[in-house]
Amino acid sequence: MKILEQHLPESQHLFLFKIIFISLFILLFAVLTFRQIEQNEDYESKERKQAQRRIIKPGARGEVLDRNENLLIGNKANFSAELHLEKLKVEILRKKIQLRDLALDIRKNLAEKKSLSIIEIINESFDKEFVRNRRVRISGRISKNSPKERALELIINEQKKLLNPDAGGKWHATIQFDEDAPISKLQFSGVEQQIKLEIAGLFSTTFEVNSLGVPKPSSELTQENNSWIEALFSEQSKIPITTNGLSLGWEARYAVVEKYLTQINQILGRTKNISMEQLKRHWHQRLVLPLELAGNLSPSEYASLIEKIPPDSAIQIQAKAIRHYPRKSLASHVLGYVGSGYEADPKGLSGEDLATFEIKGRKGKAGIEKQFDQHLRGNDGGDIWRVNPMGSRFELIERKASTKGKTLRLSLDQDLQEIAERSLEKMIDNVAARRILPDANWEKTILRRTRKALSGSREKELNPDLLISSFVDSPFPLNGKIASTVAGFQGTPEDATRLLRLLYSKGVLDRIPGQQDEYFIAPPLLPPAAAVLLDLESSEILVLATKPNYDLDELTPYISQSTYDEIQRREALLPRACHPGYAPASPFKLVTALAGIRQGVLKPNELLPCEGKYKGMECHVFPGSHGEVDLKKAIAQSCNVYFFRIAEKIGHQSLIKEAKSLGFDRNPKIELPSLRDKPIVPDPEWKKNALGVNWTLEDTFNISIGQGGLRQSPLQMACFAAKLAKNQMHFVPSILHTEKNTQTHSSDKSLDVNSTGYHAMIDGMHLATTEGTARRCRIDGVPIAGKTGTSQWRNNNMELNLAWFIGFAPLKDPKVAIAVLVEGVIPQDQIQGGLTATPIARDILQSYFAKYQIHSQSISN
């Protein structure tokens, strides 16, 4: 018993626990010390990455000036109304509570009904304004057992609605509220049995359809209870209804955002919408950035918002720099435009390890904007923000301002460019005004375009002839609803409207301005045209004009689909001044003359007979003739037979070699994006590959007068005129302006033809402008050397004409070289070099000499 009664001191009882406690304390202290000292930087870095965000902002692009420092491309402030979502937290929470109460209220009303159907759920829900303003969504999958020919559709009352499934076979449809026609009938075709019904995000349910596609009564459905509410509810309806908190949260966010958007729309008179998908995408991916509610504000819209939006509102008016083209469509193909695809350059910005968001800049997509994109783009700046747990920003930590890009100075002369484009447009209108419509050839083109458009649409079986004839026979423009009644059309009025818009974008149909859905058969396009003017001293391009062109200011801050379709239907994207797609016609006779002089087979003063025809090939005056002509007169009168005879003596090999040595087999190198198409100088190998036949004497005759397979650009022909003016084999044009002439002429190779032959050619070109085919180019006091041409070519399965003029001025000590092209669109277009192209050249040259005031003595000497 004594042993049992023996007691140890209290300190001995607790000693073991003290040891354990002290050990744990030391361990805890060591761990905390290690965390605080050794891992301090790691945890600070993790906290920083979690709590901070970097926003990269692009710098404004540099300006583009003409040679006289007039602004061609600049920047302007683009104002937008943006919603700062971080300020909406409390408002969204309140809205979520309201929507939860609304969902319980609707469900309570439904629970009081003794029997319940899907149609009753929809109609009961539509009694609430929130549901009417949102959507009732039905979704499901395609039935695997449904025949392929069976339509996938939904019948609401008596209206059919086509269902468009995604790649996975899922489909969805939206039921809109109609006060005059409550839902009385739902029937599905080609879908699986189980279908989901979602009531404006408040609650959802699933139901089944029978073999006829009709929703089954509630008594045939099995109950799925998710909570005591569902259990209570299922005793009466047997339809499982669930409310999802996440869905309510999104509906609350969307309702709050839509409230602010409605406020903006009412002030501005706009009708912009934001979908739930757009909101979710922004919330998940760009929450740290504000949400744009209205962009590209006009000055009056900006003033209205500043006046009516409170300073403490979640809506803020923001400004950013966008491209500005003060001369609208002037030189649009040269200047180009910007678009998406911008990649930020964060070099030199801190916060490399932070989650980074970009305010998207714009990237050059065409013309100078594309070619000098790196030169024009600014240096990116950046902000670092502290964010809350939701991801919204609330405190600016660091800011580095972005900087503007570099200025670029072009060789174009703004005034001459405008005069050239105005002269081209005037001639285009004159040619179009002489047309007698309707044109049978154009109607065939319209039919071919319609067939092509239909082959790529869902209405492949629709007869193009019936569709087009309905427009031809109609005394008034047609819309989609009327066009859908055309025999053979199987789609809905919506399908017809979509098809008519497609045909409009392809140039088949036109519409009355202001009536977007009323269409009629489009008239032939306006004749395209181009002009080039070169400065011979600096080799700079003064004019590079193309018609049709497009308004560059309509492409900023973004290019809408309707704007792009409008440009496409006018075929305005093609830079015709640089495009090597045209037979050069009679100006190419000068190449034949050079080859003949160089080969010694052409004697300038020798007379050769022209009887209107030679070895089956006709002169342009046939059945008339030129009689006996020498080189000077042959150029002035553009005699085909003379050059047939010379080409026969030269032979096709020497003629082709001469063309290639002058650079006709490659595009002139200028500081613009390279073209996909290349110029063509045909030879026997090319003809064999392209047409599968051998070269003949007729081919030699054709290329001797600029026909056959020859394809060149107006820029190429202007460069050829410059080579003639400067008596040089090479001429490299530039679109950039330099203060000092950097061209070196001492090493330039001359044309290497005898002086007699060369001067005979130049005299012939001068005679053409005084007495010959180019006399409409004559300018008092300014002697001009020129050559016209009218080429026959085939386009859109029609035999069409091309009108050319090339030349230089003044005759002695030339200052500029020029080329002008006008295209015929239909055979009746009265296109001729002497009638159509030379007046344009006269306008441009006259403006040049008037502006730069070339002394009359230097011209005449």
Side-chain angles (χ1 to χ4, degrees):
M1 294 298 294
K2 290 181 178 179
I3 297 173
L4 295 174
E5 291 175 358
Q6 185 177 4
H7 296 280
L8 295 173
E10 181 180 351
S11 60
Q12 293 181 4
H13 282 290
L14 298 176
F15 181 74
L16 179 60
F17 291 101
K18 289 179 179 178
I19 295 297
I20 295 174
F21 178 78
I22 292 171
S23 299
L24 291 175
F25 181 79
I26 292 171
L27 178 63
L28 177 61
F29 181 78
V31 170
L32 291 177
T33 302
F34 178 76
R35 297 282 193 191
Q36 290 293 324
I37 297 175
E38 296 296 329
Q39 294 186 323
N40 180 57
E41 292 185 3
D42 291 341
Y43 279 98
E44 284 185 351
S45 177
K46 289 179 181 178
E47 185 275 337
R48 179 172 171 273
K49 291 179 182 178
Q50 186 174 5
Q52 296 181 19
R53 300 289 185 269
R54 181 172 69 162
I55 301 175
I56 297 180
K57 300 179 178 180
R61 292 175 70 84
E63 295 175 340
V64 178
L65 311 175
D66 83 336
R67 68 188 298 106
N68 299 313
E69 299 189 5
N70 295 307
L71 184 65
L72 296 176
I73 308 177
N75 298 301
K76 66 179 179 180
N78 179 249
F79 295 98
S80 60
E82 298 183 343
L83 184 63
H84 289 255
L85 301 174
E86 65 270 13
K87 296 184 178 182
L88 305 179
K89 184 178 180 180
V90 174
E91 196 171 351
I92 290 173
L93 179 59
R94 290 174 182 167
K95 191 65 180 180
K96 184 176 180 180
I97 295 172
Q98 292 177 6
L99 294 182
R100 183 198 63 189
D101 293 342
L102 177 62
L104 292 176
D105 183 43
I106 297 175
R107 292 179 61 168
K108 181 181 177 181
N109 293 338
L110 293 173
E112 293 174 353
K113 297 181 180 292
K114 294 183 179 180
S115 62
L116 195 63
S117 68
I118 295 302
I119 291 177
E120 287 178 305
I121 293 177
I122 296 173
N123 288 328
E124 177 70 25
S125 301
F126 273 142
D127 283 343
K128 306 298 181 182
E129 183 180 4
F130 177 80
V131 179
R132 292 199 296 271
N133 293 336
R134 282 293 285 126
R135 64 180 182 182
V136 171
R137 192 173 187 264
I138 301 179
S139 58
R141 300 185 68 89
I142 302 174
S143 174
K144 297 178 181 178
N145 301 322
S146 176
K148 291 184 178 180
E149 61 273 9
R150 187 178 182 184
L152 183 66
E153 60 185 17
L154 165 63
I155 300 176
I156 304 175
N157 295 341
E158 299 302 325
Q159 295 292 325
K160 288 185 178 181
K161 189 169 188 174
L162 295 178
L163 303 175
N164 296 311
D166 60 20
K170 295 180 181 180
W171 59 266
H172 71 268
T174 301
I175 300 178
Q176 302 290 342
F177 172 73
D178 187 346
E179 186 177 2
D180 298 327
I183 305 299
S184 60
K185 176 183 178 181
L186 285 178
Q187 187 172 357
F188 300 84
S189 175
V191 302
E192 285 189 352
Q193 271 191 317
Q194 193 171 56
I195 294 174
K196 182 179 180 180
L197 174 69
E198 181 187 0
I199 304 295
L202 300 177
F203 58 84
S204 61
T205 182
T206 57
F207 62 95
E208 294 180 358
V209 296
N210 59 26
S211 58
L212 298 177
V214 178
K216 293 181 180 180
S218 59
S219 59
E220 298 181 20
L221 297 175
T222 58
Q223 177 62 37
E224 296 180 5
N225 298 326
N226 294 321
S227 66
W228 65 271
I229 296 178
E230 277 74 31
L232 176 66
F233 195 74
S234 64
E235 291 177 4
Q236 298 181 11
S237 71
K238 295 186 180 180
I239 295 181
I241 297 180
T242 60
T243 296
N244 186 293
L246 182 62
S247 179
L248 278 179
W250 280 114
E251 286 296 333
R253 293 171 187 140
Y254 185 78
V256 172
V257 170
E258 195 175 48
K259 183 194 80 171
Y260 284 101
L261 179 60
T262 300
Q263 181 185 2
I264 292 292
N265 283 339
Q266 288 175 346
I267 294 174
L268 302 182
R270 296 190 180 188
T271 58
K272 180 177 178 178
N273 293 311
I274 292 179
S275 67
M276 176 66 81
E277 289 70 24
Q278 289 173 312
L279 176 61
K280 286 183 176 181
R281 185 163 56 249
H282 182 91
W283 199 280
H284 287 311
Q285 299 175 7
R286 300 172 65 83
L287 184 58
V288 73
L289 301 177
L291 176 66
E292 184 180 287
L293 299 183
N296 203 24
L297 300 176
S298 67
S300 60
E301 290 176 330
Y302 171 81
S304 296
L305 290 178
I306 291 296
E307 179 184 357
K308 297 177 181 179
I309 298 296
D312 59 347
S313 171
I315 299 174
Q316 297 293 319
I317 309 302
Q318 307 288 349
K320 63 180 179 181
I322 63 169
R323 276 324 228 179
H324 172 50
Y325 304 90
R327 302 305 301 267
K328 305 297 184 180
S329 61
L330 187 77
S332 56
H333 294 91
V334 176
L335 302 181
Y337 52 88
V338 296
S340 59
Y342 182 88
E343 294 183 4
D345 181 10
K347 192 181 299 181
L349 300 178
S350 58
E352 294 180 10
D353 55 342
L354 298 178
T356 298
F357 299 84
E358 295 180 25
I359 296 177
K360 292 296 184 182
R362 310 298 279 171
K363 179 181 180 181
K365 291 292 187 180
I368 289 296
E369 292 275 30
K370 179 179 180 180
Q371 186 71 16
F372 293 92
D373 185 65
Q374 289 299 317
H375 179 91
L376 293 170
R377 67 173 283 170
N379 295 317
D380 296 333
D383 294 349
I384 295 180
W385 286 83
R386 193 179 301 280
V387 298
N388 59 26
M390 186 176 70
S392 300
R393 61 185 182 179
F394 71 90
E395 181 185 3
L396 178 63
I397 298 175
E398 180 183 327
R399 168 165 290 173
K400 181 179 179 181
S402 57
T403 57
K404 187 177 178 180
K406 299 175 184 176
T407 299
L408 187 68
R409 192 170 172 189
L410 302 185
S411 63
L412 295 183
D413 184 299
Q414 173 183 277
D415 298 330
L416 295 179
Q417 179 80 18
E418 183 175 13
I419 288 167
E421 293 188 11
R422 208 161 50 222
S423 181
L424 290 172
E425 192 167 351
K426 180 181 177 182
M427 183 58 69
I428 287 168
D429 291 340
N430 287 341
V431 172
R434 295 188 180 95
R435 291 170 173 170
I436 300 174
L437 300 178
D439 183 84
N441 290 283
W442 179 250
E443 289 177 352
K444 293 177 182 178
T445 299
I446 287 289
L447 191 58
R448 282 191 297 271
R449 291 185 177 186
T450 305
R451 288 196 184 100
K452 186 176 181 180
L454 290 176
S455 66
S457 72
R458 296 195 299 180
E459 294 299 325
K460 297 179 181 179
E461 305 304 321
L462 180 61
N463 189 321
D465 300 85
L466 287 175
L467 181 63
I468 294 301
S469 65
S470 66
F471 283 92
V472 173
D473 297 338
S474 176
F476 50 81
L478 303 182
N479 57 30
K481 185 175 181 180
I482 299 175
S484 65
T485 62
V486 174
F489 192 85
Q490 302 298 319
T492 64
E494 289 77 15
D495 294 326
T497 298
R498 185 168 54 251
L499 177 60
L500 296 185
R501 288 175 181 167
L502 172 65
L503 295 176
Y504 173 80
S505 69
K506 300 300 182 183
V508 172
L509 300 178
D510 203 349
R511 58 191 179 197
I512 300 173
Q515 299 183 18
Q516 297 298 306
D517 295 323
E518 302 286 332
Y519 298 92
F520 56 90
I521 294 294
L525 297 173
L526 294 176
V532 181
L533 184 68
L534 303 175
D535 186 308
L536 296 178
E537 291 184 359
S538 64
S539 298
E540 293 177 355
I541 300 173
L542 301 175
V543 169
L544 194 64
T546 293
K547 287 288 183 175
N549 51 3
Y550 44 88
D551 188 341
L552 292 169
D553 239 18
E554 292 182 356
L555 309 185
T556 183
Y558 59 87
I559 306 173
S560 67
Q561 186 61 49
S562 60
T563 299
Y564 182 77
D565 288 344
E566 185 66 30
I567 294 173
Q568 282 281 74
R569 72 181 304 276
R570 294 190 299 110
E571 299 180 2
L573 282 178
L574 186 66
R576 289 174 167 83
C578 303
H579 179 62
Y582 306 103
S586 291
F588 199 82
K589 292 173 180 175
L590 301 172
V591 178
T592 305
L594 284 173
I597 296 170
R598 198 186 307 280
Q599 295 297 316
V601 299
L602 189 157
K603 295 179 176 55
N605 297 321
E606 182 182 3
L607 297 176
L608 297 177
C610 169
E611 298 173 349
K613 207 169 187 180
Y614 182 71
K615 296 191 174 180
M617 298 284 286
E618 296 176 355
C619 191
H620 68 89
V621 295
F622 183 81
S625 66
H626 288 109
E628 291 190 336
V629 294
D630 58 8
L631 175 60
K632 181 178 175 180
K633 188 174 180 181
I635 292 174
Q637 299 298 325
S638 198
C639 176
N640 289 351
V641 169
Y642 179 91
F643 290 99
F644 291 158
R645 293 179 180 275
I646 297 300
E648 185 178 23
K649 295 177 181 179
I650 298 171
H652 68 272
Q653 292 181 336
S654 296
L655 184 55
I656 292 168
K657 181 180 178 181
E658 183 70 27
K660 291 182 177 181
S661 67
L662 287 166
F664 281 97
D665 59 337
R666 53 195 180 274
N667 283 317
K669 291 183 179 180
I670 58 171
E671 302 87 348
L672 287 174
S674 59
L675 298 172
R676 180 178 57 186
D677 298 309
K678 304 296 182 184
I680 298 175
V681 176
D683 56 26
E685 183 180 359
W686 173 88
K687 185 181 180 184
K688 190 71 174 179
N689 293 333
L691 304 176
V693 293
N694 294 323
W695 191 270
T696 65
L697 181 61
E698 182 181 345
D699 297 311
T700 304
F701 286 176
N702 272 327
I703 64 170
S704 72
I705 60 170
Q707 295 286 154
L710 278 166
R711 292 294 181 268
Q712 302 296 323
S713 69
L715 177 60
Q716 180 79 273
M717 299 307 293
C719 288
F720 176 54
K723 293 170 187 176
L724 291 174
K726 295 171 71 69
N727 192 11
Q728 292 176 182
M729 289 293 294
H730 304 291
F731 183 88
V732 181
S734 176
I735 199 70
L736 300 180
H737 176 67
T738 55
E739 290 294 342
K740 294 181 179 180
N741 182 14
T742 59
Q743 296 283 330
T744 56
H745 301 291
S746 58
S747 60
D748 289 336
K749 184 180 178 181
S750 70
L751 291 174
D752 194 27
V753 292
N754 63 68
S755 176
T756 303
Y758 173 75
H759 287 295
M761 287 179 57
I762 304 305
D763 290 344
M765 294 174 67
H766 177 52
L767 185 62
T769 64
T770 57
E771 301 177 10
T773 57
R775 59 188 176 276
R776 289 177 178 82
C777 188
R778 188 166 47 205
I779 300 173
D780 291 340
V782 183
I784 299 172
K787 183 73 189 77
T788 62
T790 304
S791 172
Q792 288 74 45
W793 72 318
R794 192 168 183 82
N795 192 27
N796 290 324
N797 286 329
M798 293 183 284
E799 296 291 341
L800 305 175
N801 282 356
L802 293 173
W804 281 98
F805 174 85
I806 73 167
F808 58 84
L811 190 63
K812 294 181 179 180
D813 189 20
K815 302 298 182 182
V816 288
I818 192 170
V820 175
L821 166 75
V822 182
E823 270 185 68
V825 174
I826 53 178
Q828 64 168 291
D829 283 345
Q830 298 178 24
I831 299 290
Q832 293 182 29
L835 294 174
T836 315
T838 49
I840 299 170
R842 180 196 60 223
D843 291 345
I844 298 171
L845 291 173
Q846 194 166 12
S847 299
Y848 168 81
F849 288 109
K851 177 172 183 176
Y852 288 97
Q853 297 180 346
I854 305 298
H855 197 274
S856 59
Q857 184 176 358
S858 65
I859 293 175
S860 58
N861 286 343

